[in-house]
Amino acid sequence: MQSCVVKITKHLFLKMSFRDNLIISCKILTAPYGLKSCDRGLEIYFKSYRERIGDPDIPLSMLDLSGFSEKMILVYKTLKEKVPFGETITYGELAKLCKTSPRFVGLCMKRNPFPLLIPCHRVVAKGGLGGYSQGLDIKILLLRHEGVRIPRKSYGAP
């Protein structure tokens, strides 16, 4: 297994782990922690995200989804295809698109090993931000980077 890090915003980095030319997991970091930078070929996939014009150009075929059910993959695929950069969707709306329950969508988001690449930060609760496995502060930073307006009351700020 190999790991490297790529800068995704002014303050955030994405650590990616690889095996057999597939990305097996990602973690969003606030500092690169001495990890080696990804090669230039991989950096280009994140250019549009850094420049605030679109998603990282990494298709599902580059992700190791072998441990996931078809139903979970459908949720991830639907999210990736239907919720573009700068937009959000509620757990219930995504569930309706996938013909499943909001709880199942929440489970999929919680188990997503590819934050940012499968943009689970864009899935929000009906009455606020909901949760985020990488931490609510990081969810807020990602959404703000994408231009999403976040009302203070949605995350408990005064």
Side-chain angles (χ1 to χ4, degrees):
M1 182 174 71
Q2 303 171 8
S3 293
C4 66
V5 67
V6 64
K7 189 172 189 169
I8 54 174
T9 72
K10 185 176 178 182
H11 301 289
L12 297 175
F13 301 81
L14 186 67
K15 176 187 173 189
M16 294 182 288
S17 298
F18 300 86
R19 184 174 44 232
D20 300 329
N21 295 321
L22 288 175
I23 301 170
I24 59 170
S25 68
C26 299
K27 181 168 178 55
I28 298 175
L29 307 171
T30 54
Y33 298 112
L35 293 165
K36 74 173 190 164
S37 292
C38 293
D39 66 36
R40 287 250 184 239
L42 204 51
E43 286 275 340
I44 195 72
Y45 288 108
F46 295 90
K47 185 176 190 270
S48 61
Y49 194 81
R50 274 192 307 277
E51 293 177 357
R52 298 178 181 210
I53 56 175
D55 283 323
D57 193 22
I58 295 184
L60 286 177
S61 61
M62 290 179 65
L63 309 179
D64 182 1
L65 294 170
S66 61
F68 296 91
S69 70
E70 286 182 32
K71 191 174 176 183
M72 290 179 89
I73 293 170
L74 173 66
V75 171
Y76 294 148
K77 183 178 184 211
T78 303
L79 173 61
K80 194 164 171 59
E81 292 175 355
K82 302 285 186 188
V83 188
F85 184 95
E87 293 185 21
T88 60
I89 191 169
T90 66
Y91 293 95
E93 291 167 336
L94 184 54
K96 193 176 282 188
L97 288 174
C98 297
K99 296 180 173 68
T100 191
S101 73
R103 284 185 185 264
F104 183 75
V105 168
L107 175 70
C108 292
M109 298 307 105
K110 183 178 179 179
R111 291 191 180 165
N112 176 14
F114 308 105
L116 190 66
L117 305 182
I118 297 174
C120 55
H121 62 282
R122 295 184 190 144
V123 182
V124 296
K126 190 170 25 174
L129 285 178
Y132 191 57
S133 63
Q134 304 290 296
L136 203 52
D137 290 345
I138 289 176
K139 183 173 189 168
I140 291 167
L141 286 172
L142 291 171
L143 291 173
R144 283 187 175 154
H145 175 78
E146 295 182 18
V148 175
R149 189 180 162 281
I150 303 166
R152 288 190 180 275
K153 66 179 181 147
S154 69
Y155 58 93

